[in-house]
Amino acid sequence: MIIKVCGLRQSDNIRAVEATKPDWYGFIFHPQSPRYVATPPDHLPSGERIGVFVDATLEDIQARQRSFQLTGVQLYKASPQLCCTLREKGLKVIRAIPAMGDLDTATLPFLTAVDYFLFDTPSPQYGGTGLTYNWQQLQSYTHSVPFLLSGGLSLNSLPDLQHFSHPSWQGVDLNSGFELSAGLKDARLLSQFISQFRLI
């Protein structure tokens, strides 16, 4: 299972998060987010670096790709064409989809354009709300493109994650449930979660 820790900002905190050994590291480039990061920190994590964008242009994404040495993108409000273009340029592409309605229909235009979906809590804030949703909603998704589970996950989610099952589920996205403040991750909580989640 993939573990992505999102909303990183500060070098010392990034080093502490690295020690917990997640698989992917997320940087948020949506200016309205309290976890927005404008310039690269002095230390960038080794491994997969994922840029999170909302309604961004190709030029904006490429500029951040260069400055943050991104290996992938997580996109809100992005067209299938933009997803395809970025994928053709060698980036891992994750399309975020609100977990509502018929997910097979919502994801259909992106099936050949992305590497992963991320099913998040429906919200105008585009993630980081700390709000959960009914994961049974994800059973309406029957396509084979893998997805990450997101939305208000915390240490308390572990028992429910143990009992969650879906053939296309490939990982989790961790953010606000593991913070001391917006953008400052609690490495102790992350370490506890990751060590236990690896056993599931």
Side-chain angles (χ1 to χ4, degrees):
M1 283 282 181
I2 297 162
I3 298 174
K4 173 175 170 280
V5 177
C6 200
L8 300 171
R9 297 180 65 182
Q10 303 173 14
S11 293
D12 287 347
N13 193 228
I14 290 170
R15 289 188 177 94
V17 170
E18 274 187 293
T20 70
K21 301 189 184 308
D23 302 292
W24 298 352
Y25 303 85
F27 295 90
I28 297 176
F29 302 119
H30 181 45
Q32 280 70 53
S33 170
R35 299 164 187 85
Y36 172 68
V37 56
T39 56
D42 292 334
H43 176 74
L44 288 171
S46 58
E48 299 280 355
R49 291 177 294 278
I50 311 295
V52 180
F53 299 88
V54 178
D55 204 17
T57 65
L58 176 61
E59 292 73 23
D60 290 340
I61 293 170
Q62 288 182 307
R64 299 290 193 180
Q65 178 191 3
R66 290 189 293 269
S67 60
F68 281 77
Q69 302 168 42
L70 300 178
T71 59
V73 292
Q74 177 180 313
L75 305 175
Y76 292 80
K77 296 181 67 177
S79 68
Q81 181 180 2
L82 178 59
C83 293
C84 278
T85 299
L86 292 167
R87 202 176 182 202
E88 288 166 359
K89 293 181 180 296
L91 285 168
K92 186 188 310 295
V93 175
I94 307 157
R95 180 57 159 84
I97 303 284
M100 57 189 291
D102 182 354
L103 294 178
D104 270 2
T105 300
T107 55
L108 188 60
F110 300 94
L111 293 181
T112 61
V114 304
D115 299 286
Y116 296 88
F117 291 113
L118 180 140
F119 293 128
D120 205 351
T121 305
S123 166
Q125 295 183 42
Y126 305 106
T129 64
L131 301 175
T132 59
Y133 59 91
N134 185 350
W135 298 344
Q136 290 308 307
Q137 173 69 28
L138 303 183
Q139 301 304 330
S140 72
Y141 177 73
T142 65
H143 298 306
S144 60
V145 174
F147 70 83
L148 303 185
L149 182 60
S150 184
L153 297 177
S154 69
L155 199 60
N156 294 330
S157 305
L158 279 166
D160 291 331
L161 288 169
Q162 272 189 307
H163 294 100
F164 178 74
S165 178
H166 192 291
S168 296
W169 179 37
Q170 293 264 313
V172 292
D173 181 75
L174 310 178
N175 193 346
S176 59
F178 296 87
E179 288 187 325
L180 299 166
S181 61
L184 185 66
K185 297 298 182 279
D186 187 327
R188 180 184 59 85
L189 284 182
L190 279 172
S191 181
Q192 289 180 49
F193 179 94
I194 290 173
S195 62
Q196 293 179 58
F197 183 73
R198 296 287 190 205
L199 301 176
I200 293 177

